[in-house]
Amino acid sequence: MVSVLLKIHQAKDEKLLLELGSLLAAASPTDIQALSSMLNINVRETINTNMDRMSLAQREAFGLWYSKVMSASNITGGHLSLIRDTGNLIAYLPFQSFQHLSAAQLFDGLDVLQRNTLSSLKQEFIADKLIGTYRNLTAQDFIRLGNLSCLADPEDLLVYRNTEAFQVIQENILSCALKGLSLPSQMVSDFLLNNPELQIPSSLSANRLKELAPLLPLLGATFLKDLTSSQLISALPALKSVPFTPIQASIIVDKLFLTNTLRQNQLQELGSLIVGVKTETLLPLTSDRLLSMLKALSQHTPIRCLPHKHALCAPEANAIATKLWGFPEVVSWLDDVEPLLRCTPLLSILPRTRLLVERLSNTSTKPWNTQQAQAIVKELININPDLIKQDFLSLQRLGQGLSCNVLKYHFQADKSPSSVRKILSFLQQQPTVLHTSLKKCVIEELDTFDFTDMLQDLGAEIALSIPVSTIKKFSADKMDTLRNMIVTTPQHFLMLSRTKQELLVDKIVQRMAMNTGPFTEEEFRSLGIMAPFVGDEVFVQLERTFFIQNLEYLKGLCYSSSKMEIVARMLQEPAVFGPVKNWNKATLSAVGRFLFFLPSNILQEISSPLMTVGRIERLFMSHRQWEEGEVGILCSDMNERNELSQKQQFVLQTYLGFLKINSFSLPQIVPTCEILRTTAPSAWTSSSLGRMSSSAFSNCLELMGQDPFLQSYQRAEVLSRVKKIYGPISSFSQSLIAQLGGIALEMSPEELSALQLEERRSIAAMGAISTWNNRQLTTLFTRVLNSTKRTPSQLDSSMLVALGHIVCGAKTTEIKTFNNVELSKAVLWLGQLRLSCSEDQMLALVELLTNNLAFGPMDSWGTDVFIEIGVLAAGLPDIAMSALVKEQIQGITPLAISIIPPEKFAAAFHQSQISMFSYEQAVAVTPQQLSALRDVQRTALAMVLTPWEDRPVVLKSRPLGLGLTLRHSPLCLILELLMLLIILF
């Protein structure tokens, strides 16, 4: 109703906005921006009064609308009280207008601005403008500024040293740090670390240590080592919820244990600090203690089992889970063990499935992983098949474990829309991403009747499994429905391969006629997360006014390499920001992380005085904030991240004096630990890392060891410095080895043989590295056996998990002596790694899993086992691989597909098996594997990759065009190529 009123009557009746009043909060952003530009004080006050009822998008829309009448000259020529006179509305002007406010206007209207939601860009501008302009601010002024003080240039704040205001500044910065806000290194070092009370850690009172608890990770290992056990135990209630790194947590925990301040029966008091407890400490604990510890831990931090995303490291999680699931009573402890369910090996679950089924009402409410759910449902079918037929919706979160046959039965039993919708709603409520085979089953089954009327009911996750050849036939209405689903729940789109993303968006753009003329703001916003995936020829037509006014929004999206190049060119256009050499501080702030999209030859044209240390740090921090956010974490692959890392390195080394480009380059600086945290160790020269102070170097060794982009020459310099500080390799402690991470790659086999690899935390640090050569792997495996005084047959599951990639350092004869059960409990982790084992080693590993105490004969394995063992499926014997049925093939992970030796792949997989591949499996096939395939196998693969008419296409080995060459007459060749082009375009 509001939309109709605004569109039809507002232009004729200027009093309409006044009469609508609170109903303005129901107007859409598009309607708001389309309002006529007439404005008077009464209208402005009406908008201001109702702004607190509006969403941020609506407020920003009013800001854009207001910018039509509030020109730059109106702002610069406005009164000192302009902000107070205008009210809330002025806080939402686009930055291109907002940046014209003077320091005096900002200072006068600060209270108005602070009661509104300001973008980080505007906050930074206000801080820089006020604190950079005035040099006589009082303590009361900084109290007003509050957290804005943390966005100022540290040099501008240091002028207040030895004044009353300085203490307020320090309190403001401490407040920012305690809230977890990112701070540039100079701010941390000059305003926090140089605080006199932090110079002697042992002198801090327990209460003060509690207040400072969130700050302790920044203070580093050196500071933590100087705290006393009595201080730590007193502050434990505050410390146990702080996100320390594993090494920092281990320093605290070890100190408490060594002094007997904390005993094993008090582990539940550690909270998130449990990450610092050795696996060796956990193994002997009773079930009661482990359960109480898990319960306490889950209250402080979520336990996640993905690499680098878990509160407990893999060896600890495995040790606890396998121990607890060794007790039959575990089925009555599900609430307590829930945090570790998805980390629990399938082999630990299998003996308990009958008991779990008997407690189905509780079992069905837990967040199982896919293979666990499949195993439980399989047992349920054996015990009570009628339940599956009569009331399968009662399975709740076990629904992800249903087989395709069960789903088909229910779809066929009642084809009414209401029944189908119930099933689809049920599937959308599952706790994890649905397995590809299940989504494919739903689409294929619904394809037997017209499901497009139920498109909305599919949910974005299942809808995105519809073949592109089907999607391209959607009507405009159905395509709009799909578009809206993706915009509303974008994470499933971001999880698609880049090829599928671009093909899908291309079809949406074509059907909705967005591929001609300018790429408008309305079109861009309607696509949401998909907007940057339009074709280059469409993206380059993006309206520049929208581009300039919405940079904050645009910086939050995901871009391919080609789009990065287009964005870089746009930024330099005269109508946008013009040549880089003319950019100023405000421009750099507005551009933000987009700066790293510019080519290196353009980057070095930026005025050197603008590229201060603080500016460079903020650029790094802004990009990291995006990279670790919901979009960034799903956007970039390792190759794109590596390219960006090189660009960041170029920027830092160019403007901090390491690469001299002109006389304005700063003198080379020696990095502190604080600046390594805000930037990245790999961005610095090897010599600068080697010149760090001993304390700074030690505090940041763990960070350096985890940087995946450190080059060999950098790692070598760091390792050399480690030896100088800590002595010979044979004397390295377990904690030191755990911190080394990738730096250890520079050790020769002879040096590796001197390591004392006794504890799982040090072994896991070495096992996480995927780029060891064969000699290093062999040395490391032998060293683990010697250090732990174990034989290969004595390695338990947590030790095998810790070994990780080092498993490939075992001889085939040694692998054959591994304990079948222990290995089977470790494959949940090992199966996620791209193991570099030889074909013989992989065969030996997979044969161990066929023991009756493990998963049994291969021909009895279901989808659940293949999902569980991951890459180890690549080790199946040729004859077993050639006998795989559809249910088994569905469980093979794309990673496992990609590491099967080409000759074996071609010999083992029949074309009928290849035709059962999912798109994700098919796209994982490597060029080397493809070149080894026969024509008929290539045809089967092409049919999976490019859904088209259901008839065989015979391919030659020599690629043509799309990588496929047809062996037909010239007429057939032309016709079939045309068909392929129709499907793709």
Side-chain angles (χ1 to χ4, degrees), residues 60-78 82-83 86 89-103 105-106 113 118-119 121-122 125-126 129 545-552 576-577 586-587 590:
E60 290 176 342
F62 267 118
L64 283 168
W65 169 75
Y66 188 51
S67 67
K68 297 173 185 177
V69 295
M70 182 59 77
S71 65
S73 58
N74 291 144
I75 296 173
T76 55
L82 176 67
I83 296 175
T86 306
L89 194 54
I90 203 166
Y92 300 99
L93 285 173
F95 183 72
Q96 289 302 105
S97 301
F98 191 88
Q99 67 177 332
H100 295 292
L101 290 165
S102 69
Q105 290 170 326
L106 291 169
L113 297 173
L118 296 169
S119 69
L121 177 59
K122 289 177 183 175
F125 171 77
I126 294 169
K129 195 80 170 179
T545 302
F546 166 71
F547 179 77
I548 297 171
Q549 294 179 341
N550 293 273
L551 278 173
E552 283 294 282
V576 183
F577 295 122
T587 308

Side-chain angles (χ1 to χ4, degrees), residues 458-634:
L458 285 176
E461 182 182 1
I462 296 177
L464 287 172
S465 295
I466 300 173
V468 172
S469 57
T470 300
I471 290 176
K472 79 185 193 73
K473 299 173 186 175
F474 281 2
S475 66
D477 286 345
K478 298 304 178 190
M479 198 69 88
D480 191 52
T481 298
L482 178 62
R483 175 203 61 76
N484 187 59
M485 291 163 63
I486 298 171
V487 171
T488 304
T489 51
Q491 66 271 23
H492 298 295
F493 174 81
L494 288 171
M495 294 170 70
L496 297 176
S497 69
R498 186 61 55 85
T499 301
K500 288 184 81 170
Q501 289 170 334
E502 292 175 348
L503 279 173
L504 176 64
V505 174
D506 182 59
K507 299 298 171 249
I508 293 175
V509 166
Q510 286 186 35
R511 178 62 66 205
M512 302 187 74
M514 296 182 185
N515 55 343
T516 56
F519 190 21
T520 66
E521 174 179 358
E522 184 178 0
E523 291 172 336
F524 192 100
R525 288 189 182 276
S526 73
L527 290 173
I529 196 66
M530 296 182 287
F533 293 90
V534 299
D536 290 358
E537 71 283 357
V538 175
F539 191 80
V540 77
Q541 299 296 323
L542 183 62
E543 291 180 340
R544 298 309 191 256
T545 302
F546 166 71
F547 179 77
I548 297 171
Q549 294 179 341
N550 293 273
L551 278 173
E552 283 294 282
Y553 165 63
L554 296 174
K555 284 184 289 188
L557 301 177
C558 176
Y559 299 87
S560 65
S561 298
S562 65
K563 297 303 189 302
M564 291 181 191
E565 293 175 3
I566 294 173
V567 169
R569 292 199 299 270
M570 286 182 179
L571 292 171
Q572 301 170 72
E573 290 174 359
V576 183
F577 295 122
V580 168
K581 62 183 178 182
N582 296 332
W583 289 6
N584 56 30
K585 288 168 67 174
T587 308
L588 291 177
S589 295
V591 169
R593 77 178 192 91
F594 278 173
L595 186 92
F596 296 122
F597 291 7
L598 297 170
S600 298
N601 64 312
I602 300 297
L603 280 170
Q604 60 188 13
E605 294 180 8
I606 299 173
S607 175
S608 293
L610 295 177
M611 295 296 282
T612 61
V613 175
R615 170 70 59 191
I616 293 170
E617 287 183 90
R618 290 199 183 278
L619 287 169
F620 273 78
M621 289 189 292
S622 67
H623 182 77
R624 184 177 295 116
Q625 184 178 16
W626 170 82
E627 197 171 51
E628 294 176 353
E630 293 181 355
V631 174
I633 204 167
L634 294 172

Side-chain angles (χ1 to χ4, degrees), residues 7 109 131 255 285 370 519 561 577 638 652 792 896:
K7 286 179 180 177
I131 300 173
K255 189 180 285 283
L285 297 181
T370 299
F519 190 21
S561 298
F577 295 122
M638 187 54 73
L652 185 143

Side-chain angles (χ1 to χ4, degrees), residues 166-185:
F166 194 74
Q167 184 176 353
V168 177
I169 294 171
Q170 284 184 305
E171 290 171 356
N172 286 345
I173 294 171
L174 179 59
S175 173
C176 291
L178 295 178
K179 291 175 182 176
L181 302 179
S182 297
L183 301 173
S185 61

Side-chain angles (χ1 to χ4, degrees), residues 308 681 700-720 722 732 736-748 751-752 755 761-773 776 780 805:
H308 312 301
C700 262
L701 183 56
E702 182 181 14
L703 180 67
M704 290 186 272
Q706 293 174 347
D707 190 329
F709 303 115
L710 274 180
Q711 299 300 306
S712 177
Y713 66 92
Q714 292 170 309
R715 295 195 299 263
E717 182 71 32
V718 173
L719 180 60
S720 175
V722 169
F732 284 6
L736 177 58
I737 296 171
Q739 293 176 69
L740 287 177
I743 296 165
L745 279 167
E746 301 311 309
M747 292 186 186
S748 66
E751 290 177 313
L752 290 172
L755 286 174
R761 65 176 169 181
S762 59
I763 297 169
M766 301 295 99
I769 300 169
S770 62
T771 49
W772 298 110
N773 62 42
Q776 289 174 314
L780 283 166
H805 291 279

Side-chain angles (χ1 to χ4, degrees), residues 678-692:
T678 56
T679 55
S682 54
W684 296 80
T685 63
S686 56
S687 59
S688 67
L689 294 174
R691 293 199 306 271
M692 291 175 68

